[in-house]
Amino acid sequence: MRTIFVLLTLSALCSPVLTAERLDAWLRSRIEARVLTALNSNHATRQREGASVDSRSTSLVDQSSATDFVNMAMTLSPVASGGAGSGGVGQSGTGMVTASAYSLLAAINGKSLTDPEFYKQHTAARQLSFTLGSTASDVMKDNTDKAGTTFGFKFTPINHRDIYGKRNATALTGLRDVLRQTAVETELKSEVSNVLFCLQNAGIVGVDAAALREFCATPREAARSALLDAWGLNPSTLSQKAALQRAQLAFRDDVPDNLPAATLAQIDGLIEANLPALTRVRAAINDTYDQIKQGMQLAIATNYINRPDAGTNDLRASLIFDYGLSPRVNWTMNGSFDHRDRKMALDTKGGRFATEFLGRLTGYEDALWGRQPITLAFAGEGKWLTRQKPQYSVQAKLTIPISAGLDFPIVYRWAKRIDLVDKEGKELKMGLSVDLGSLSQLLKGR
Amino acid sequence: MAITRTVTVDNPGALLIERASGEFLHFTLIAGGPLPIFAFNSSVKGNLFEAADFIGHPKTTYEWEHLKNPSDMQSLERLDLHLVFVTNAKYQYKVEKRAATGAVLATILDISFVGDPTDHEAESFRLMVS
């Protein structure tokens, strides 16, 4: 009889399990398959390009939130120009750096950008960002060919996407409460682990077959533990307890990929029995994420381009509104006052309205500082300025992430009437956006 | 929806603790920020605590001990850490077995996790008490 047990044990230990998966991961995917409602969203709605006041920027519409950290944007070149952005071939050279007050504070204090305590303490500093850059000029439009200097700031007084906002604090508290229900999953894991242990240990040297069957058939972990304790208190079964403990220690909670159908059905039954609690956890995570990402944002922004000599200066003061229509689609509206200070002629001033729908085409990478998703945006703009006919523009923009912190926007813009020129214009342009925060974190991690 | 799990010391699945000599476990969780959300569960006692139960939350490093009280010990107990990534994308989880004096006897596991915002991950192991 003992020989049979030895053979059974050896057979179990040497069974041809070619691949195995950790119980934690295997069970999670099996649970998720039952409770997951596909959901993912993005951080891709933060503006990472130059401000729209510069007509050479790849942004037609400004987003309400800038980077949390430091961002650099360049318009590389209009690859095919009919003058829609009035940038003209060879008139690229626009470059802007945007930094949040938070990133400056972090640098001054020598703190990591994601330090939890620092991040919580400086919520307000993330709502304020500053822009400094250089803007190319065009003689016909700007009365100079010398580059102008761009200054700007953006303040986001309403930000329902910040995790420390009151609205999101309530949602996160709710998530924490629901997270306590993961204890159900812990118990479930114990039961599944027992099923797998008993499957892979049909016989254990030193453990009576009937006792092992009783152990395996005992449904609750506390009861199994009590059974072990009872074995330990009885001198005749003391060695049996030690043998079972050795087998338990040798069992690594691995799940072989060749589980019998009956075992899978047994495990699925255990999952189904706990599905309501398991679903609440997943739903709470998804709902919290949706609430944060689809939150409303309202920003006030001002950008000023100062051109040398007799060049025209530009001022744009904007009200920017963002709203997440769905986890994948963000809607932005801009209303602004534009003023062109023509030093050698009468000024023009007036209003501007623009709107954009930005959709995320891909998901996020696994890495924390991984590439942004590919996004596609459609935007339209109308400008009504004194001494000029109304101008209308539409554009499509595809933003392709090259690497973490490095994006490559490609824009096609069509204008019904170009600034000062009463004709249509169209332009294909490319840009480059560098998120210095992401890049530095990525390099730090290597 | 994929977690990157980087192993420095792999999870053994099960661990032997000597009750008589006063061995206990020391846990460290380092969060990448900005707002860690996690729960620590026992299959015996249910949910033991979560991130907000720690003084100074949110913070970079969370530390706690388990089995300091010998009456807590129960064979087959499963200790399970649940991590949520919605506001914190990176965690490092380390467990040490320590002697009654506090001296480190062994690093049981040391694993880093990076996840997407809607990810949810758990890492667990069983205790055997001798």
Side-chain angles (χ1 to χ4, degrees), chain A residues 22 24 28 114 117 119 164 176 180 182 186 189 193 221 225 245 248 251-253 282 289 365-366 368, chain B residues 4-5 32 34 41 43 47 50 58 74-76 78 80 89 114 116-118 120 123-124 126 129:
Chain A
R22 287 184 317 117
D24 288 316
R28 165 53 38 77
T114 54
E117 293 165 70
Y119 197 90
Y164 287 113
R176 289 199 298 262
R180 293 186 190 279
T182 52
T186 304
K189 225 176 272 183
S193 174
E221 180 196 282
S225 183
Q245 281 195 329
Q248 280 279 350
F251 174 60
R252 291 177 53 86
D253 263 349
R282 164 48 62 196
Y289 184 66
E365 289 200 330
D366 294 340
L368 171 57
Chain B
T4 300
R5 181 175 177 270
N41 301 330
S43 57
N47 177 253
E50 48 110 356
Q74 179 183 299
S75 266
L76 301 175
R78 179 175 292 273
D80 197 7
V114 177
D116 283 348
T118 54
H120 170 206
E123 190 74 35
S124 70
R126 288 163 290 126
V129 179

Side-chain angles (χ1 to χ4, degrees), chain A residues 332-395:
Chain A
T332 305
M333 280 195 304
N334 288 183
S336 61
F337 167 74
D338 285 12
H339 181 201
R340 302 216 75 203
D341 172 20
R342 300 181 194 281
K343 295 166 191 166
M344 305 296 286
L346 291 172
D347 291 357
T348 55
K349 59 186 79 170
R352 166 185 164 272
F353 177 81
T355 188
E356 179 183 73
F357 294 87
L358 184 146
R360 182 173 58 79
L361 302 181
T362 59
Y364 276 87
E365 289 200 330
D366 294 340
L368 171 57
W369 298 102
R371 279 187 293 189
Q372 291 288 321
I374 297 173
T375 60
L376 180 62
F378 296 99
E381 179 194 59
K383 278 199 275 190
W384 300 270
L385 302 175
T386 54
R387 280 176 278 284
Q388 286 185 26
K389 290 181 179 176
Q391 299 165 48
Y392 303 102
S393 304
V394 291
Q395 82 166 29

Side-chain angles (χ1 to χ4, degrees), chain A residues 185-390:
Chain A
E185 188 178 321
T186 304
E187 283 184 43
L188 170 66
K189 225 176 272 183
S190 282
E191 297 311 309
V192 173
S193 174
N194 187 53
V195 169
L196 296 172
F197 172 78
C198 292
L199 177 76
Q200 295 174 49
N201 292 274
I204 299 172
V205 178
V207 181
D208 176 73
L212 183 58
R213 275 198 301 276
E214 183 188 3
F215 177 86
C216 288
T218 302
R220 305 293 296 179
E221 180 196 282
R224 288 193 295 275
S225 183
L227 190 63
L228 272 184
D229 288 344
W231 291 358
L233 292 173
N234 186 340
S236 67
T237 53
L238 189 58
S239 63
Q240 184 168 271
K241 177 187 176 184
L244 195 130
Q245 281 195 329
R246 279 196 299 275
Q248 280 279 350
L249 289 169
F251 174 60
R252 291 177 53 86
D253 263 349
D254 286 335
V255 184
D257 66 352
N258 54 355
L259 280 179
T263 306
L264 281 174
Q266 185 183 359
I267 292 169
D268 287 345
L270 292 170
I271 294 171
E272 291 291 338
N274 292 285
L275 208 52
L278 298 169
T279 304
R280 274 195 289 277
V281 175
R282 164 48 62 196
I285 292 172
N286 290 0
D287 290 348
T288 305
Y289 184 66
D290 278 355
Q291 178 168 325
I292 293 172
K293 297 316 296 177
Q294 291 177 238
M296 179 183 74
Q297 288 180 304
L298 185 71
I300 301 160
T302 298
N303 282 285
Y304 180 70
I305 301 174
N306 183 53
R307 291 191 173 84
D309 306 331
T312 300
N313 295 334
D314 283 298
L315 171 73
R316 172 169 293 169
S318 308
L319 200 61
I320 305 166
F321 175 79
D322 265 295
Y323 187 76
L325 294 176
S326 80
R328 280 181 177 266
V329 179
N330 188 70
W331 174 45
T332 305
M333 280 195 304
N334 288 183
S336 61
F337 167 74
D338 285 12
H339 181 201
R340 302 216 75 203
D341 172 20
R342 300 181 194 281
K343 295 166 191 166
M344 305 296 286
L346 291 172
D347 291 357
T348 55
K349 59 186 79 170
R352 166 185 164 272
F353 177 81
T355 188
E356 179 183 73
F357 294 87
L358 184 146
R360 182 173 58 79
L361 302 181
T362 59
Y364 276 87
E365 289 200 330
D366 294 340
L368 171 57
W369 298 102
R371 279 187 293 189
Q372 291 288 321
I374 297 173
T375 60
L376 180 62
F378 296 99
E381 179 194 59
K383 278 199 275 190
W384 300 270
L385 302 175
T386 54
R387 280 176 278 284
Q388 286 185 26
K389 290 181 179 176

Side-chain angles (χ1 to χ4, degrees), chain A residues 70-139:
Chain A
V70 182
N71 196 80
M72 192 165 71
M74 289 163 278
T75 301
L76 293 179
S77 111
V79 292
S81 174
S86 67
V89 175
Q91 298 249 338
S92 55
T94 286
M96 292 188 201
V97 175
T98 299
S100 69
Y102 174 80
S103 68
L104 300 177
L105 275 176
I108 291 167
N109 289 282
K111 295 282 187 182
S112 161
L113 292 169
T114 54
D115 180 292
E117 293 165 70
F118 194 77
Y119 197 90
K120 182 181 182 182
Q121 288 163 2
H122 296 91
T123 299
R126 287 194 299 279
Q127 320 299 17
L128 183 63
S129 63
F130 303 97
T131 297
L132 181 64
S134 170
T135 301
S137 302
D138 178 87
V139 174

